[in-house]
């Protein structure tokens, strides 16, 4: 009986196609390794490994998990693609092609569902942001992410500054002993170009003032509305990025299938 092989006939494989696929996948693999390394390093630095109970805390989104999950998927797929292309191994290339196609299908499905259920997505975004407002002081990475979002989109809270009442440090209840009571994070503050050093206390007591007075010191628009406006203003760029990623994924799948049917 003849033995079953999972390799192409070496003499028939185009070197250009082979090394193009290998070169792309090694970059993909290294980028995934970098993402995964950063995520694991940050995870260990925060002491999560010594406190497993914190893994079940879903009160706020931890940006470290984004690095770990995305990096892990990229690392595995990139490794399979590299070895599959270099060794001309059909089994690994099939694994690479099938999962890349599955990711593309999930992205396409998510895009369609997001368009059809956009109101539900908006409600979930509100819920997501409010949960992260509650957990603002619980995780330094989450805190930096929220500060970046508020500064970049010139916003404060999900719908406005009063959303910070959800946080135990910023709420306006009389029993709140925090110095940040009735305030907002410094990332909500309007920036003074003349200031070289960030004033981290600029948001103290600002929500004790009336709406017109607040506008002199902080952003009063919510991040949900500002994010939607940003998407509308940059629709062509955002769509171009997603189309480019989709075309790259489809091209790699077709290139891998080209290996299967013609070599």
């Amino acid at each position: 009986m003849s033995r079953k092989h999972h390799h192409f006939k070496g003499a028939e494989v185009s070197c250009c196609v082979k090394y193009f696929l290998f070169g792309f996948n090694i970059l993909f693999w290294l980028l995934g390794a970098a993402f995964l390394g950063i995520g694991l390093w940050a995870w260990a630095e925060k002491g999560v490994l010594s406190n497993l109970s914190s893994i079940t805390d879903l009160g706020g989104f931890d940006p470290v998990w984004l690095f770990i999950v995305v990096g892990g998927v990229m690392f595995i797929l990139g490794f399979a693609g590299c070895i599959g292309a270099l060794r001309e191994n059909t089994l690994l290339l099939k694994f690479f092609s099938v999962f890349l196609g599955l990711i593309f299908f999930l992205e396409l499905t998510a895009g369609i569902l997001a368009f059809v259920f956009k109101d539900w997505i908006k409600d979930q975004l509100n819920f997501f942001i409010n949960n992260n407002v509650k957990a603002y002081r619980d995780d330094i990475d989450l805190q930096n992410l929220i500060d970046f979002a508020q500064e970049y989109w010139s916003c404060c809270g999900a719908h406005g500054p009063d959303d910070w009442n959800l946080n135990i440090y910023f709420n306006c209840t009389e029993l709140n002993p925090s110095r940040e009571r009735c305030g907002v994070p410094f990332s909500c503050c309007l920036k003074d170009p003349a200031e070289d050093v960030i004033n981290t206390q600029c948001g103290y007591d600002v929500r004790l003032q009336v709406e017109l007075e607040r506008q002199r010191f902080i952003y009063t628009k919510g991040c949900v509305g500002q994010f939607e406006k940003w998407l509308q203003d940059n629709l062509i760029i955002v769509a171009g990025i997603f189309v480019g990623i989709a075309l790259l994924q489809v091209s790699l799948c077709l290139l891998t299938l080209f290996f299967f049917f013609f070599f």
Side-chain angles (χ1 to χ4, degrees), residues 68 105 206:
I68 292 175
F105 175 75
V206 73

mmCIF file of all heavy atoms in Angstrom, residues 68 105 206:
data_model
loop_
_atom_site.group_PDB
_atom_site.id
_atom_site.type_symbol
_atom_site.label_atom_id
_atom_site.label_comp_id
_atom_site.label_asym_id
_atom_site.label_seq_id
_atom_site.Cartn_x
_atom_site.Cartn_y
_atom_site.Cartn_z
ATOM 1 N N ILE A 68 -3.911 39.697 24.413
ATOM 2 C CA ILE A 68 -3.687 38.263 24.560
ATOM 3 C C ILE A 68 -4.467 37.465 23.525
ATOM 4 O O ILE A 68 -3.918 36.572 22.861
ATOM 5 C CB ILE A 68 -4.063 37.811 25.991
ATOM 6 C CG1 ILE A 68 -3.079 38.408 27.004
ATOM 7 C CG2 ILE A 68 -4.074 36.289 26.091
ATOM 8 C CD1 ILE A 68 -3.428 38.116 28.450
ATOM 9 N N PHE A 105 -15.371 35.185 7.531
ATOM 10 C CA PHE A 105 -16.824 34.970 7.568
ATOM 11 C C PHE A 105 -17.424 35.588 8.824
ATOM 12 O O PHE A 105 -18.486 36.219 8.770
ATOM 13 C CB PHE A 105 -17.123 33.475 7.513
ATOM 14 C CG PHE A 105 -18.585 33.145 7.658
ATOM 15 C CD1 PHE A 105 -19.466 33.356 6.605
ATOM 16 C CD2 PHE A 105 -19.081 32.642 8.853
ATOM 17 C CE1 PHE A 105 -20.825 33.067 6.740
ATOM 18 C CE2 PHE A 105 -20.437 32.351 9.000
ATOM 19 C CZ PHE A 105 -21.305 32.564 7.938
ATOM 20 N N VAL A 206 -16.335 70.137 39.373
ATOM 21 C CA VAL A 206 -16.858 70.826 38.196
ATOM 22 C C VAL A 206 -18.338 70.540 37.973
ATOM 23 O O VAL A 206 -19.076 71.375 37.430
ATOM 24 C CB VAL A 206 -16.026 70.448 36.941
ATOM 25 C CG1 VAL A 206 -16.330 69.013 36.482
ATOM 26 C CG2 VAL A 206 -16.289 71.417 35.803
#
